Amino acid sequence: MSPAFGAMEVEHYAKGVLLEPFVHQVGGHSCVLRFNDKTICKPLIQREHQFYETLPTEMHKFTPQYEGVVSVSFEEDEDGNLCLIAYPLNGDHDNLESIDNSDCEPKNKLLRWSNKKTVLENDKITKEWVRQHRKEEKMKSQKLEEEFEWLKKSEVLYYSVEKKGNVSSQFKHHNPWSMKCHQQQLRRMKENAKHRNQYKFILLENLTSRYEVPCVLDLKMGTRQHGDDASEEKKANQIRKCQQSTSAVIGVRVCGMQVYQTGTGQLMFMNKYHGRKLSVQGFKEALYQFFHNGKYLRRELFEPVIKKLTELKSVLEKQESYRFYSSSLLIIYDGKELQEVTVDSDPEDLEDLSEESSDESAGAYAYKPTASTVDVRMIDFAHTTCKYYGEDSVVHEGQDTGYVFGLQNLISIIKEIRDESSE
């Protein structure tokens, strides 16, 4: 690294955005990074970029909002500390001025695009912040090495979350999968640094931003995962994974999961390796676990999830020629109830609250449902194709029957869980 790097780092940080791991990434292998509270970014893949820029209007509500492209560079100081910094693409400062950064300040690790005067004014606070950040990162990296060893051995993990103040504030750096992907991305970029140090990343809506404690289920959809352009080796590998998992049988498998356990204050993580091993019954049990908060089953979530899945199925049945190979479907809800009062509270406090005390061992509680915050979104379109992509050698006709098949089975299984739990 050039000796001039140290003198330039303040200006670099002031003009760019330091990217962090997106702690709610529960599946996939591509690195997802946090740009700010409402926006994430991931490496730009031309096919996925094309999808977001041309997707049908009726699909907008079922995909993250696309917010543009940034240039990301891998940077390293003289001590070998690594970081990823996002800059405006081709010097276009307006490209990111439109992103909502109102809730982020330098102390929250976002330094806006700025001129030299601003750099000088913020010189002292920025240098101190950078030093503190590097110290924290070094401590985290040591802890991560231990966690990665655990991750290799355990496919279902539980992490305790301290119940002090806002629960969501305790989430930071808990998810081992997101940290694993982040470290892999840093290593890849470090290996390529001598030949290339400018990468394009796409900016997308952070789907978890409106939840205090996001519970996330990542489902790999469809009976086929390989794209039309896959090598024979890749094709054979993907076919094998489908045949050995629930993908071939019901068109859907668990790719990752994060659930907050209210009773114990723990986060439960399930990774894709565990999801591949599940039988159809095991898949059903995993779904049950996703909707269970450790005290009782969140029954109020079933109907809104079923409604959204049914609507998505109807939309996809009308999409001529699209194939969503290897894409995922996210189901997200808030693990923290909006209101919680004991039954011996003043009767007036219990008005308009729904009884939800199915687990007697958890005590008697009344909760206000949070069903309206349930979200269902499609993500990951690196292998998506349709006849409007002019350069594709293979053109498909009709709907993506494998994906629709998976949706239908997913809906049926959730209905089974709903009906069996009400008996």
Side-chain angles (χ1 to χ4, degrees):
M1 182 61 63
S2 168
F5 179 82
M8 294 172 60
E9 65 184 5
V10 174
E11 185 171 353
H12 273 240
Y13 276 79
K15 287 184 178 178
V17 176
L18 177 65
L19 301 176
E20 299 178 311
F22 176 58
V23 297
H24 300 303
Q25 179 183 0
V26 299
H29 56 80
S30 179
C31 179
V32 179
L33 299 166
R34 177 188 180 277
F35 178 82
N36 65 25
D37 284 350
K38 297 181 181 178
T39 308
I40 61 171
C41 62
K42 60 184 294 192
L44 184 150
I45 296 173
Q46 192 57 45
R47 185 173 294 274
E48 182 168 43
H49 186 217
Q50 184 176 13
F51 171 80
Y52 277 115
E53 291 200 322
T54 62
L55 82 164
T57 303
E58 58 269 28
M59 289 188 64
H60 283 184
K61 66 185 294 185
F62 292 108
T63 59
Q65 181 179 336
Y66 167 68
E67 298 178 353
V69 180
V70 289
S71 176
V72 174
S73 69
F74 161 87
E75 300 189 7
E76 180 179 4
D77 66 11
E78 295 168 348
D79 296 324
N81 296 302
L82 313 178
C83 58
L84 297 177
I85 311 293
Y87 296 99
L89 189 63
N90 298 326
D92 179 11
H93 286 60
D94 293 334
N95 189 33
L96 274 90
E97 288 294 349
S98 60
I99 304 299
D100 183 4
N101 295 329
S102 59
D103 55 352
C104 299
E105 298 177 2
K107 65 182 180 180
N108 289 333
K109 302 181 183 177
L110 171 71
L111 293 138
R112 292 170 178 262
W113 319 128
S114 60
N115 56 30
K116 194 169 184 179
K117 181 180 178 182
T118 307
V119 171
L120 294 174
E121 290 173 350
N122 291 323
D123 181 87
K124 188 173 293 185
I125 186 173
T126 305
K127 281 184 176 178
E128 177 57 34
W129 176 82
V130 170
R131 280 195 294 268
Q132 182 61 30
H133 172 72
R134 287 173 179 161
K135 182 179 179 181
E136 292 174 357
E137 287 300 308
K138 188 165 288 187
M139 293 174 65
K140 287 174 199 170
S141 65
Q142 294 172 352
K143 184 179 179 182
L144 279 174
E145 289 304 318
E146 300 175 4
E147 290 182 343
F148 290 165
E149 290 303 315
W150 188 17
L151 189 60
K152 292 175 184 176
K153 300 174 183 177
S154 304
E155 296 167 356
V156 179
L157 304 176
Y158 289 85
Y159 279 75
S160 295
V161 179
E162 295 181 25
K163 292 186 175 181
K164 295 179 181 179
N166 191 331
V167 178
S168 61
S169 66
Q170 305 294 333
F171 258 91
K172 220 164 180 56
H173 306 299
H174 274 285
N175 189 330
W177 191 261
S178 66
M179 302 303 283
K180 175 178 181 289
C181 291
H182 183 252
Q183 291 295 310
Q184 288 177 337
Q185 181 72 28
L186 283 175
R187 282 196 289 269
R188 283 195 297 267
M189 294 180 80
K190 183 178 182 180
E191 291 169 359
N192 296 331
K194 292 181 180 179
H195 308 287
R196 179 188 179 199
N197 195 31
Q198 289 294 320
Y199 297 79
K200 288 183 180 179
F201 277 51
I202 58 172
L203 293 167
L204 298 171
E205 170 190 6
N206 175 5
L207 299 174
T208 67
S209 63
R210 62 193 178 114
Y211 303 99
E212 186 168 348
V213 186
C215 294
V216 184
L217 177 63
D218 185 322
L219 299 170
K220 187 70 74 174
M221 301 299 298
T223 53
R224 167 181 161 176
Q225 301 303 322
H226 63 277
D228 292 324
D229 58 347
S231 65
E232 287 303 315
E233 181 182 2
K234 180 74 171 179
K235 179 179 177 180
N237 188 40
Q238 292 291 359
I239 291 175
R240 176 181 56 80
K241 289 178 183 177
C242 287
Q243 291 177 339
Q244 294 179 353
S245 68
T246 55
S247 292
V249 183
I250 58 176
V252 55
R253 71 172 183 258
V254 173
C255 193
M257 184 192 301
Q258 169 179 292
V259 184
Y260 179 60
Q261 306 288 285
T262 304
T264 60
Q266 290 183 319
L267 290 169
M268 186 278 284
F269 298 107
M270 180 183 295
N271 67 28
K272 66 180 182 181
Y273 302 111
H274 185 77
R276 287 179 194 166
K277 297 177 181 179
L278 297 174
S279 62
V280 174
Q281 179 61 29
F283 175 84
K284 181 177 178 180
E285 292 169 359
L287 278 186
Y288 182 95
Q289 193 170 16
F290 175 68
F291 290 109
H292 200 286
N293 68 2
K295 282 186 176 181
Y296 54 84
L297 197 61
R298 296 285 299 274
R299 294 193 189 94
E300 81 278 7
L301 302 174
F302 291 141
E303 293 309 321
V305 169
I306 292 170
K307 180 179 179 182
K308 292 193 175 187
L309 290 173
T310 303
E311 185 180 350
L312 173 59
K313 177 173 170 287
S314 177
V315 168
L316 293 187
E317 286 173 338
K318 300 171 185 175
Q319 300 310 310
E320 175 68 23
S321 184
Y322 273 97
R323 294 295 181 273
F324 304 99
Y325 299 134
S326 198
S327 71
S328 286
L329 185 70
L330 296 185
I331 300 178
I332 312 171
Y333 70 88
D334 204 326
K336 182 175 173 60
E337 288 80 10
L338 293 181
Q339 289 185 323
E340 178 178 323
V341 290
T342 57
V343 292
D344 57 357
S345 300
D346 190 299
E348 294 182 3
D349 294 335
L350 296 177
E351 292 182 3
D352 300 323
L353 297 180
S354 63
E355 287 291 337
E356 194 62 74
S357 56
S358 59
D359 186 350
E360 288 80 2
S361 65
Y365 291 89
Y367 293 93
K368 183 177 179 179
T370 57
S372 61
T373 63
V374 173
D375 207 354
V376 171
R377 303 286 188 105
M378 299 173 69
I379 61 168
D380 297 341
F381 304 102
H383 301 286
T384 294
T385 182
C386 79
K387 62 183 179 182
Y388 308 112
Y389 296 4
E391 299 179 359
D392 286 357
S393 58
V394 180
V395 176
H396 301 273
E397 298 295 333
Q399 63 183 237
D400 188 336
T401 55
Y403 198 114
V404 172
F405 176 67
L407 277 176
Q408 182 56 61
N409 285 315
L410 178 60
I411 292 168
S412 297
I413 292 173
I414 293 176
K415 285 182 177 179
E416 288 177 10
I417 296 173
R418 176 200 63 186
D419 296 342
E420 291 170 2
S421 66
S422 62
E423 294 176 355

